[in-house]
């Protein structure tokens, strides 16, 4: 059975999941305290987490999304993102997500479309090179889900 819980206290108890999506803990700390965290449980076991923050204007931003490695590819992240889109639809005009090149198709299948790029984001904000699915992360690519569509 699947259940999504909003985590209000002890968010760092899910540190191992958070660091799967963003391996630089000081960066996670920058948005975790202000973000709303949700954990998807399967039979009482945490399998996926997400953190959403307010962004500029009337937008929110999906800042962190991760699934435990042995459960990846089974639809848990898609399930959680779809649920989040429904939760935030009435409060915001859209949801942003910043990601590397290798995750674009995942978000596009959920209805996100390209918004903008922040060149050299990863080398500028992370002390060590960051790799995602075998590719070096350089630019941060932003996608947006428009709630009016």
């Amino acid at each position: 059975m699947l259940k999504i819980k909003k985590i209000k206290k002890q968010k760092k108890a899910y540190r191992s999941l958070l660091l799967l999506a963003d391996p630089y803990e000081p960066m996670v700390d920058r948005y975790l305290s202000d973000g709303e965290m949700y954990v998807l449980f399967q039979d009482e076991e945490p399998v996926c987490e997400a953190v959403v923050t307010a962004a500029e204007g009337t937008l929110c931003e999906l800042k962190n999304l991760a699934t435990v490695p042995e459960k990846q590819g089974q639809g848990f992240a898609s399930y959680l993102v779809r649920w989040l889109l429904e939760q935030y639809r009435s409060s915001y005009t859209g949801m942003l997500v910043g990601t590397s090149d290798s995750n674009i198709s995942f978000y596009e299948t959920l209805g996100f479309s390209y918004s903008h790029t922040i060149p050299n984001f990863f080398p500028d904000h992370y002390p060590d090179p960051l790799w995602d699915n075998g590719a070096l992360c350089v630019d941060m690519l932003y996608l947006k889900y428009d709630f009016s569509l």
Side-chain angles (χ1 to χ4, degrees), residues 115-134:
S115 173
H116 62 282
T117 298
I118 299 178
N120 220 47
F121 178 87
F122 294 102
D124 288 348
H125 292 88
Y126 290 79
D128 298 313
L130 189 59
W131 297 84
D132 191 9
N133 293 320

Side-chain angles (χ1 to χ4, degrees), residues 10-63:
Q10 300 179 345
K11 295 175 184 177
K12 286 210 170 193
Y14 300 95
R15 179 177 180 242
S16 61
L17 266 173
L18 290 160
L19 294 176
L20 285 173
D22 191 340
Y24 188 45
E25 194 162 2
M27 185 65 81
V28 173
D29 289 341
R30 287 175 51 186
Y31 56 78
L32 188 59
S33 62
D34 294 331
E36 294 183 323
M37 182 178 196
Y38 300 90
V39 176
L40 174 61
F41 292 84
Q42 180 185 42
D43 300 324
E44 303 302 317
E45 291 295 320
V47 294
C48 188
E49 66 74 32
V51 178
V52 179
T53 63
E56 70 258 3
T58 60
L59 299 173
C60 60
E61 183 174 347
L62 177 59
K63 292 292 251 183

Side-chain angles (χ1 to χ4, degrees), residues 21-22 27 31 51 53 55 60-65 95-104 106-107 112-118 121-122 126 130 132 137 139-145:
D22 191 340
M27 185 65 81
Y31 56 78
V51 178
T53 63
C60 60
E61 183 174 347
L62 177 59
K63 292 292 251 183
N64 193 300
L65 177 67
M95 181 181 284
L96 292 171
V97 63
T99 189
S100 64
D101 289 335
S102 63
N103 296 309
I104 298 289
F106 168 77
Y107 290 106
F112 286 79
S113 58
Y114 175 79
S115 173
H116 62 282
T117 298
I118 299 178
F121 178 87
F122 294 102
Y126 290 79
L130 189 59
D132 191 9
C137 300
D139 299 337
M140 174 79 80
L141 302 165
Y142 271 89
L143 295 104
K144 180 181 174 187
Y145 187 97

Side-chain angles (χ1 to χ4, degrees), residues 7 92 97 138 149:
I7 308 300
Y92 294 92
V97 63
V138 179
L149 299 179

